[in-house]
Amino acid sequence: MKNRFLPWLYGEQDVMDRMAENVESPDMTRSELKKITRSVEEEYKNRPDVLEAIGRSRSRFRRLYLAVALISCVALTLVLLYTISLMPRYGEENPRTKEVVSRYVEEGLQETGAVNIVSGMILDYRAFDTLGESHVLFTALVCVLILLRIDTKNQMTGYEDYYTVRTDSYFDLSGDPILRLVCAVIIPCVLLYGIYIILNGQNSPGGGFSGGAVLGAGLILFSTAFGFDKVDRLFSLKVSNIVTFVSLAFYSFAKGYVFFMGANGLDAHIPKGTPGAIFSGGMILPLDIAVGCVVGCTMFGFYSLFRRGSVGGQL
């Protein structure tokens, strides 16, 4: 599977060429394959029994498909109606909602060790939701990579004129001395501020998502002012993949361990630290760092793909 997917992803092989290799003659071209397909279709047109059998098969499949779709829709509707019937009436107070809010406010600092109760909720009480959001970002980056990648095969032959316009030199602003001077002063401050937001997310407004967005913006400014060549020396596609994978894997294993221990009434042996200090909040600080890395890589990956059709200079 890897040998088929990666050549297609990097534009080294066309999917239709792979289909042509499955015929009996490996030297058969795509036009010859189309001629054979037309001849087979013409042959079946002269055989009404075959067409009738195909029609019956399609009719049976359509009836089965409609039946399964109808049953699924009815079952989903019944589940939703039953769930709505258990909800309190409009205007009435929901005691369970008040219990959850009071638990967050009254016990949040003691149970999570985070002064910022929002970080305690999203990275402790509801950490699996945040894990899903991080995986959504990673999946979105992979989808954009597949859709916007530059086809190296067609680019070398000059077939796709659109990509000849989408070159780095066409949008290059790194020669502007004013932009380089301003960014040389601003970028270190932006990166430092992003790190501060990530490291202090358990004590003040911020965290992995906002801090990662600031770091991604810093990388975008750096690539705009000084060019992608300098960014690619440190932030290549391989580095981006490793950082994203390690961050998501650490998040998954860390919170899986904590939830497993908590669900079985066992102590996770993770100190929560002193509330208000940098090293506090238990696992919130390292999880913020993991989320910030994923968000930063995703933001810069989107910009790089829309700008030049690749991440880290690799097509």
Side-chain angles (χ1 to χ4, degrees), residues 105-146:
V105 175
E106 297 174 1
E107 307 292 339
L109 179 60
Q110 180 180 357
E111 293 180 348
T112 65
V115 177
N116 183 11
I117 192 60
V118 177
S119 297
M121 285 188 292
I122 65 176
L123 291 174
D124 194 290
Y125 290 116
R126 302 181 60 183
F128 275 151
D129 293 343
T130 308
L131 176 62
E133 294 169 2
S134 302
H135 279 83
V136 167
L137 290 175
F138 174 71
T139 305
L141 178 60
V142 173
C143 294
V144 174
L145 176 63
I146 294 174

Side-chain angles (χ1 to χ4, degrees), residues 220-237:
I220 293 173
L221 284 175
F222 186 86
S223 62
T224 303
F226 301 99
F228 280 106
D229 294 336
K230 293 186 177 180
V231 181
D232 294 341
R233 296 175 184 175
L234 298 176
F235 193 82
S236 62
L237 178 61

Side-chain angles (χ1 to χ4, degrees), residues 49-60:
D49 55 337
V50 176
L51 295 179
E52 184 179 357
I54 295 175
R56 288 196 302 268
S57 177
R58 290 180 177 178
S59 178
R60 288 194 297 267

Side-chain angles (χ1 to χ4, degrees), residues 116 118-119 193 196-198 200-207 210:
N116 183 11
V118 177
S119 297
Y193 183 61
Y196 164 78
I197 293 176
I198 293 176
N200 209 40
Q202 72 276 13
N203 298 322
S204 63
S210 53

